[in-house]
Amino acid sequence: MARIRYLKPDFFKDEDLAEIPYDIRLFFAGLWCYADKAGRLEDRPLRLKADIMPYDLKFEVERALEILAHPKKHSPIKKPFIIRYEINGERYIQIVSWGKHQKPHHTETESSIPPPVPPKNKEKENYKGNGECSYSECSDHEPIKNGQITVKEPIIKLILDEEPKRWEGITEELKELWAKSYPGCDVEFVLQEMIAYWDAQPKSKRKINWKRTIVNRLKWVQDHGGTKRGRQSLEEWAAEEDAKERQGK
């Protein structure tokens, strides 16, 4: 879905962008209109060409994406304009430095596209999932070519049938992201109380999408004062979640 975005004057003064063919510069500006709140969009070249360059029949969209995903010549850390990546077989694009140039309206729908994985060889506490890393460090795997990377997002599971009872698939990077997103929450405490709660529930009440369930719980705790101000009832929250599921939300 296209959205109204804005461009800063600095956009036109970027010396790396100035070395790119004019039609690709126009295409890059158009990508911003089709990116979501986090600067991400599906990597569908033909669809993007039809949406952004419908009257330029000779426009080579794949070449344009490859050029935009190539490391900048004048950038000290060689980051590209975009990152092309793949998660669980789905291909996406992240516009690099999105947060520095765009301030989407607070009512805009949050991104449903998973971010690129955090950088491998640099400090991760400042990583926001918006491509703020160098070209060579944007993946736990080597780049395929021209900025394309392939990763597989771990599936989060709650293991209750073994000892010790534990979460599986939750990375330290994900915990750091949750801690930054919900600063009023003690993430480790929330995860442990969820283990204790669902261990006492019949299997029929166990969830399918545990990642979403965890995020919903963290958001609920944050909105109700946070674990650092006073621990809220998990049973009360779980009852609300079950009611939402019954209503199809």
Side-chain angles (χ1 to χ4, degrees):
M1 180 180 70
R3 302 168 176 87
I4 297 174
R5 301 298 186 198
Y6 57 86
L7 296 177
K8 295 182 178 180
D10 290 346
F11 178 89
F12 304 97
K13 297 179 180 179
D14 188 309
E15 56 186 333
D16 286 289
L17 193 62
E19 296 182 359
I20 293 177
Y22 179 80
D23 56 349
I24 298 180
R25 277 182 266 168
L26 180 61
F27 175 74
F28 178 49
L31 286 179
W32 296 63
C33 294
Y34 287 87
D36 62 19
K37 191 175 183 179
R40 304 178 197 127
L41 61 158
E42 294 182 343
D43 190 341
R44 301 174 61 183
L46 294 180
R47 176 66 179 271
L48 291 172
K49 180 182 182 300
D51 286 336
I52 301 172
M53 311 289 284
Y55 304 115
D56 295 86
L57 302 181
K58 296 183 179 180
F59 181 75
E60 299 178 14
V61 63
E62 187 61 43
R63 173 174 173 269
L65 290 170
E66 288 182 0
I67 289 176
L68 292 171
H70 195 74
K72 296 180 182 179
K73 183 171 69 174
H74 300 289
S75 171
I77 58 175
K78 304 301 181 184
K79 63 182 181 182
F81 291 104
I82 65 173
I83 295 172
R84 305 179 74 185
Y85 62 105
E86 181 177 323
I87 294 180
N88 295 336
E90 298 294 331
R91 297 176 62 185
Y92 305 108
I93 293 171
Q94 170 72 61
I95 297 178
V96 177
S97 300
W98 172 264
K100 292 182 180 179
H101 303 287
Q102 294 292 322
K103 302 296 180 185
H105 195 272
H106 68 277
T107 60
E108 184 174 330
T109 304
E110 297 296 331
S111 175
S112 61
I113 296 176
V117 292
K120 178 175 61 174
N121 298 318
K122 65 183 295 187
E123 294 181 2
K124 300 176 182 179
E125 59 268 19
N126 296 321
Y127 183 75
K128 301 178 181 179
N130 62 353
E132 291 299 331
C133 57
S134 71
Y135 169 77
S136 62
E137 295 175 336
C138 282
S139 173
D140 285 334
H141 303 269
E142 292 299 320
I144 298 175
K145 67 175 183 176
N146 299 322
Q148 296 188 42
I149 56 178
T150 301
V151 297
K152 186 173 183 179
E153 190 177 57
I155 298 175
I156 295 176
K157 298 178 182 178
L158 181 56
I159 309 298
L160 298 174
D161 301 325
E162 302 175 9
E163 291 293 343
K165 304 178 192 305
R166 66 191 186 280
W167 290 103
E168 185 177 277
I170 298 179
T171 63
E172 290 302 317
E173 291 78 16
L174 196 50
K175 290 181 183 179
E176 291 174 9
L177 176 62
W178 289 339
K180 286 182 177 293
S181 300
Y182 306 99
C185 296
D186 182 331
V187 174
E188 289 290 353
F189 171 78
V190 170
L191 292 173
Q192 289 303 312
E193 71 166 353
M194 292 179 75
I195 289 177
Y197 176 80
W198 263 283
D199 186 42
Q201 304 303 313
K203 291 184 177 181
S204 60
K205 287 190 176 182
R206 296 182 187 176
K207 307 295 181 178
I208 296 176
N209 190 334
W210 282 111
K211 183 177 181 181
R212 181 177 63 190
T213 300
I214 292 169
V215 170
N216 287 346
R217 172 59 179 165
L218 289 168
K219 184 178 185 302
W220 193 93
V221 173
Q222 177 80 21
D223 292 345
H224 288 73
T227 52
K228 297 177 182 178
R229 295 185 180 179
R231 296 173 180 175
Q232 302 296 320
S233 169
L234 191 147
E235 292 185 1
E236 179 184 350
W237 165 80
E240 293 180 5
E241 286 293 294
D242 290 339
K244 289 179 182 178
E245 289 187 0
R246 287 194 297 271
Q247 295 172 6
K249 294 183 179 180

